[in-house]
Amino acid sequence: MIKVSRFNGTKFVINCEWIETVEATPDTVLTMMNGKKYVVSESVDDILAKVIEYKQKAGFANRIINVQSENDDK
């Protein structure tokens, strides 16, 4: 979950796992996987930074992924 702001200053929290696209139109529009859209005051770069920070805290970003075809768990 990340905290974002509406243009009137109110803050709310969204599940960043559900963000499908982030675009500047020039306002930042978050489109969720269910089709709902949110216009927020943060920039696209700010949203990306918040999502990366969330994923790092949750342990997603620093995981080592085995891309080899054989299992290396010995």
Side-chain angles (χ1 to χ4, degrees):
M1 304 289 275
I2 61 171
K3 190 182 291 187
V4 294
S5 305
R6 292 185 176 93
F7 279 99
N8 67 4
T10 60
K11 296 194 181 293
F12 64 103
V13 179
I14 60 165
N15 183 347
C16 64
E17 298 294 329
W18 278 58
I19 297 174
E20 187 171 3
T21 61
V22 180
E23 54 189 317
T25 63
D27 296 331
T28 304
V29 179
L30 308 178
T31 304
M32 310 306 281
M33 286 197 283
N34 62 2
K36 188 161 184 158
K37 295 181 183 272
Y38 297 96
V39 179
V40 296
S41 60
E42 289 82 1
S43 69
V44 171
D45 290 336
D46 289 342
I47 297 296
L48 290 175
K50 288 179 181 222
V51 170
I52 290 168
E53 180 183 1
Y54 163 79
K55 289 189 178 272
Q56 285 175 336
K57 285 182 181 177
F60 293 117
N62 293 324
R63 255 195 252 174
I64 297 173
I65 299 172
N66 180 9
V67 294
Q68 299 175 348
S69 60
E70 66 182 62
N71 191 345
D72 64 353
D73 294 334
K74 296 179 182 169

